[in-house]
Amino acid sequence: MLELALLKIEKEEVPFFDLEVGATWTEAKMRERKLDGLPILAVSNLFNVAVGNEMVSVQAGKIATVTRLDAKRRAFTTRYHGPVFVLDVTTNNPGATGGALISTDGETLYGILGKELQHARTGCWLNFALPTFAVREAVQKILSGDAQTDAAAENAAQSGMGSNGEESEERVRPERSVRLSELGLGMVPELFPRTPAFIDWVASQSRAEKADLRPDDLILYINARLIQSLEDLASELEYIDYEDSFHVTILRGEEILEIEVK
């Protein structure tokens, strides 16, 4: 949901920020309401100026306020709707996304600079950062293999899977499982191992069309179970009775949607 990727580099004994330290510090300051006006440094490849092995740019500013990206108002097109630090410096620009928001002494990571985000009605650009505690939570979920949406987690509880992604009881295949042809779904050809589960076509008047599944939708979860390939999709459908409804989490463009197939 934060649109973060976790990368591993083969290098030792290099300086780094401790996510736990930054997360604990920012959480405590949020509870004490002591983040507004806090001096910060924003470190990034400002406006994509550096194209090679060059020094990054540093902007000095303050955290103007702490707020939430409101999903209900649909003011901003973003998958994340949690707390953010609004900044008084222009970090909303090409090259700044993913930069570091740090303390003025360079010791503590306060957050990660947010992507370019524009208000849907006013056109105003938002300069913001994702708090370190939100980043820490996302990293922990990625490492544990439990990087799922909130709705998927809820569906997991309803479908007999634990919050850690493990089965709460042994799964049983029904006598007749649901088939892609019965759903009215055609998937992209499986050209290589772990081909993503992209929908190629949807049959008219089918269960899939009635659920508003569309071509080019990417299936991420079935009943909160992660689908990483066409093989995963076929395997998961074997555990769903052809008469039962089930939940599908899809990526459509830049939006994650939860859909019930009845």
Side-chain angles (χ1 to χ4, degrees):
M1 298 300 290
L2 293 183
E3 301 179 71
L4 294 177
L6 189 60
L7 307 179
K8 180 180 179 180
I9 60 172
E10 299 297 334
K11 198 165 186 178
E12 298 179 354
E13 298 181 1
V14 293
F16 65 94
F17 290 109
D18 189 319
L19 276 179
E20 185 62 37
V21 171
T24 301
W25 193 93
T26 50
E27 280 181 316
K29 292 302 179 183
M30 272 195 65
R31 288 193 296 269
E32 299 169 5
R33 300 181 182 276
K34 291 185 177 180
L35 284 172
D36 290 7
L38 182 72
I40 52 88
L41 296 177
V43 184
S44 70
N45 180 14
L46 193 63
F47 292 103
N48 276 327
V49 173
V51 294
N53 186 19
E54 304 173 38
M55 300 294 288
V56 297
S57 299
V58 180
Q59 296 169 273
K62 295 180 179 180
I63 295 178
T65 190
V66 180
T67 188
R68 295 181 67 88
L69 293 180
D70 194 340
K72 296 180 181 178
R73 296 180 183 175
R74 296 291 180 183
F76 295 99
T77 304
T78 177
R79 301 176 199 167
Y80 175 67
H81 303 295
V84 295
F85 299 154
V86 179
L87 310 175
D88 69 348
V89 290
T90 307
T91 58
N92 194 332
N93 62 77
T97 301
L101 188 76
I102 64 176
S103 57
T104 53
D105 62 7
E107 295 295 325
T108 307
L109 180 68
Y110 291 159
I112 302 296
L113 299 182
K115 67 176 185 178
E116 294 181 75
L117 205 58
Q118 188 175 20
H119 196 286
R121 295 189 299 273
T122 66
C124 179
W125 294 90
L126 181 67
N127 303 299
F128 73 101
L130 302 171
T132 311
F133 55 80
V135 175
R136 175 193 59 183
E137 182 180 357
V139 168
Q140 290 173 343
K141 287 185 176 182
I142 293 172
L143 290 173
S144 68
D146 190 34
Q148 59 185 8
T149 64
D150 292 339
E154 182 179 348
N155 294 338
Q158 296 174 354
S159 59
M161 177 183 286
S163 60
N164 60 356
E166 298 178 354
E167 307 294 340
S168 58
E169 58 184 24
E170 186 177 353
R171 303 178 72 191
V172 178
R173 287 184 174 87
E175 291 185 7
R176 180 180 171 187
S177 302
V178 67
R179 300 176 183 273
L180 286 172
S181 58
E182 293 173 335
L183 294 174
L185 280 181
M187 309 303 293
V188 296
E190 191 168 5
L191 300 177
F192 51 87
R194 301 184 71 82
T195 300
F198 276 102
I199 296 175
D200 189 28
W201 53 264
V202 178
S204 177
Q205 301 300 312
S206 64
R207 292 176 67 183
E209 185 184 61
K210 292 176 182 177
D212 195 30
L213 290 171
R214 306 175 187 176
D216 295 330
D217 286 348
L218 173 62
I219 297 177
L220 303 176
Y221 296 91
I222 297 286
N223 282 342
R225 292 179 174 85
L226 182 63
I227 304 298
Q228 300 186 81
S229 65
L230 291 173
E231 183 180 355
D232 287 350
L233 175 62
S235 176
E236 188 55 43
L237 291 179
E238 291 181 2
Y239 291 95
I240 301 175
D241 191 284
Y242 80 103
E243 292 184 336
D244 289 348
S245 62
F246 57 95
H247 294 273
V248 183
T249 304
I250 63 167
L251 176 63
R252 178 176 295 161
E254 295 187 355
E255 188 175 11
I256 292 178
L257 302 173
E258 309 288 340
I259 290 178
E260 183 179 9
V261 179
K262 299 180 179 181

